Amino acid sequence: MRSNPWLVLSSVILAFTPVVVDMTVLHVAIPTLTLALGASGTEVLWIIDVYPLVMAGMLVPMGTLADRIGYRRMLLVGLAVFGVASIVAAFSTTAAMLIAARAVLGIGSSMIMPCILAVIRQTFEDDAQRANALGVWSVVGMAGAAIGPLVGGVLLEHFWWGSVFLINVPIMMIVIPLVWLLVPATPGNSEAVWRPGQAVLLIAGLILTVYGVKSGFKMMPSIFCLIPLLAGLGFLTWFASIQMASDNPMLDLSLLSKPVIGIGLLMAFVASASLAGFELVLAQELQFVLGKTPLEAGIFMLPLVIAAAVGGPLGSRLATRFGLRIVASLSMASAAFSLLAIAFCDLAQDTYIVAGLLAILGLALGIGLLASSIAIMGGAPKEKAGAAGALESSGYELGGGLGVTLFGVLVNSIYRSSFSDPSMAKDGAWNSIGEAMTVARAVGGARGVEIAAAAQAAFGTAHGSVLMLAGIMIALLSVAIFISLRDTSPEHEHP
């Protein structure tokens, strides 16, 4: 008996929701769990970005494995892995344990994500119904990531930090039986080629490179950060050479030879990196420096996340009317303006101005992500649409993970250089704002207040400096986009 397609859609969308919410739900929880676990600045960055990094490396091979064993089976396994990892994450007692749990969450997500679209495409045979179903998927994807900080804030208002993970468990308990009952069991394709070794090579390259970068910014550059950095870059180069030499690559990097696709991928990376990195730093500023609760921080960030969710659908219409070149370059220019303007604002005093600037930033980055999709999918040959989609998804996830790394290490580096009192280094307060607040709470008294005040001033300086640097770089990117897309042909205007 064939299940009602809309019930099938409801079940897979319910499975999809916690995956996208988990991409941003931790942003407002980081200050709380930093104090609870005594996490260092580097550990905080790993807690956030190991999830998208692992997911990015595993998305394509897990999609191929799902082709081999069947989508329902793969989806059920992924949901079970995600649920168990959520329990482990919620009850983690150390930062290392939480990082490991987040990595497993990334593996579970990489099993779930490819199956969602595959099930939708198989379930809806009518083109119009399939378009509506994909529209629901798109809206949930953007809205889920958008409401993540607010969900985290609401939970932390009433429960401990582990609740942001534990909430996934009842959802999994509902969705697993629904998927079992409603999603049809289809035979897999035994001819699909699965290359787990290449995925491991990619993930090892990414993690070693990120480790080298983080270690290098935390201490004076030494052999201990140089070796993993060079090893990571070597693995990534090896991975790229395998893809270029293969007739059936895991990621078709030859598509990057088309300038419009290269620019599109760069935009996807920058937009997702800016959104993820900025959200994390803003959440720390709001709570550690301004003393807001997680819920208040989530509400403060609403203009950013809501506007980002609106930006995608709006960007499609703008690109249709004004063309990709204008929309893409102006979206990046607007994002640069917003970051530069926020850098000069007082978040405590200029509340309404900052809210407006956050809305402009979110809208610009949302439109930028849509424009990147148009560039990539419009620039790819029809027979390579799947490969282009895999490249875009990987770029988006990598952008989110590496954005947290880049923003985080730059903020922590400038933060440390802003201390004039050498005793702060002795106390351990100079490593990160989270460690400083942990030390201040432990020391207490007048010295604790002094440490907290110095850390807050240093973080404010670092936050402003990084926003200015990011704004300048994105402004330069907008100029590069305008120049690079000057010869874009009409068929590249739409995916």
Side-chain angles (χ1 to χ4, degrees):
M1 180 178 176
R2 183 179 173 84
S3 301
N4 183 305
W6 297 104
L7 289 178
V8 175
L9 177 66
S10 299
S11 67
V12 295
I13 289 299
L14 186 59
F16 177 55
T17 302
V19 172
V20 292
V21 170
D22 258 41
M23 293 179 184
T24 56
V25 71
L26 265 193
H27 289 174
V28 297
I30 281 297
T32 303
L33 70 84
T34 297
L35 296 176
L37 298 179
S40 68
T42 301
E43 287 172 333
V44 165
L45 298 183
W46 277 118
I47 289 169
I48 291 290
D49 60 17
V50 72
Y51 178 74
L53 286 177
V54 171
M55 192 194 307
M58 298 298 291
L59 269 176
V60 177
M62 286 302 183
T64 305
L65 182 59
D67 291 337
R68 285 177 61 91
I69 69 174
Y71 301 119
R72 186 180 75 162
R73 183 181 301 175
M74 187 67 164
L75 185 54
L76 288 170
V77 173
L79 291 169
V81 170
F82 194 88
V84 172
S86 295
I87 295 174
V88 176
F91 294 102
S92 294
T93 54
T94 65
M97 184 177 176
L98 181 55
I99 291 168
R102 287 276 288 172
V104 179
L105 275 170
I107 295 174
S109 298
S110 70
M111 295 178 178
I112 296 169
M113 292 282 277
C115 296
I116 302 297
L117 284 175
V119 169
I120 291 174
R121 285 167 180 160
Q122 285 189 341
T123 303
F124 293 90
E125 298 176 358
D126 179 76
D127 289 344
Q129 288 189 341
R130 188 186 301 117
N132 289 333
L134 290 172
V136 172
W137 167 82
S138 176
V139 169
V140 170
M142 290 183 291
I147 66 171
L150 184 60
V151 170
V154 171
L155 288 171
L156 290 174
E157 190 77 5
H158 303 285
F159 308 103
W160 96 113
W161 64 265
S163 62
V164 300
F165 296 109
L166 206 59
I167 193 175
N168 294 332
V169 178
I171 296 176
M172 294 299 108
M173 293 175 67
I174 294 171
V175 78
I176 288 176
L178 286 177
V179 169
W180 177 266
L181 292 171
L182 297 175
V183 175
T186 54
N189 176 14
S190 59
E191 296 181 359
V193 180
W194 192 48
R195 299 184 178 90
Q198 293 186 22
V200 172
L201 186 62
L202 175 59
I203 292 174
L206 289 172
I207 290 180
L208 285 171
T209 301
V210 170
Y211 178 83
V213 170
K214 290 177 179 177
S215 299
F217 271 89
K218 185 168 184 178
M219 61 187 76
M220 291 298 292
S222 68
I223 194 71
F224 297 106
C225 60
L226 190 60
I227 289 178
L229 178 60
L230 292 177
L233 293 175
F235 283 148
L236 292 177
T237 302
W238 185 11
F239 173 81
S241 66
I242 292 174
Q243 305 312 302
M244 297 299 291
S246 175
D247 293 331
N248 185 24
M250 191 179 99
L251 282 177
D252 192 350
L253 300 181
S254 66
L255 289 169
L256 297 178
S257 62
K258 292 179 174 288
V260 67
I261 295 180
I263 283 291
L265 188 63
L266 182 60
M267 285 182 60
F269 182 90
V270 170
S272 58
S274 300
L275 192 57
F278 176 71
E279 275 190 356
L280 174 63
V281 175
L282 178 61
Q284 291 179 302
E285 171 96 4
L286 292 172
Q287 294 177 72
F288 280 140
V289 179
L290 299 187
K292 292 184 179 294
T293 66
L295 179 57
E296 290 171 339
I299 293 172
F300 190 97
M301 295 165 67
L302 272 181
L304 172 71
V305 294
I306 291 176
V310 172
L314 179 61
S316 179
R317 296 186 179 185
L318 292 175
T320 300
R321 181 169 182 179
F322 299 107
L324 175 62
R325 184 191 187 197
I326 295 296
V327 171
S329 55
L330 283 182
S331 66
M332 291 295 100
S334 299
F337 163 77
S338 301
L339 288 172
L340 290 169
I342 293 172
F344 289 98
C345 286
D346 184 328
L347 298 184
Q349 302 295 326
D350 306 324
T351 305
Y352 295 109
I353 295 175
V354 173
L357 292 171
L358 288 176
I360 293 172
L361 177 62
L363 193 66
L365 293 177
I367 292 172
L369 283 172
L370 187 280
S372 72
S373 181
I374 292 175
I376 294 169
M377 301 308 293
K382 291 183 179 180
E383 65 273 14
K384 291 191 174 184
L391 196 64
E392 178 187 357
S393 298
S394 300
Y396 177 81
E397 298 300 338
L398 284 177
L402 296 180
V404 168
T405 295
L406 295 174
F407 270 74
V409 295
L410 285 174
V411 164
N412 286 344
S413 179
I414 299 172
Y415 167 86
R416 285 191 291 272
S417 67
S418 299
F419 280 109
S420 56
D421 184 353
S423 65
M424 294 294 178
K426 181 180 178 181
D427 287 328
W430 74 294
N431 287 328
S432 70
I433 182 74
E435 289 172 84
M437 291 305 177
T438 301
V439 170
R441 188 169 62 174
V443 171
R447 180 57 178 168
V449 172
E450 182 185 356
I451 292 172
Q456 290 167 341
F459 190 85
T461 299
H463 186 199
S465 299
V466 170
L467 291 189
M468 290 179 63
L469 181 60
I472 292 171
M473 293 179 66
I474 295 175
L476 294 174
L477 174 62
S478 69
V479 175
I481 291 170
F482 188 78
I483 295 172
S484 300
L485 297 183
R486 63 185 180 279
D487 297 323
T488 303
S489 54
E491 61 266 25
H492 292 160
E493 297 293 311
H494 309 284

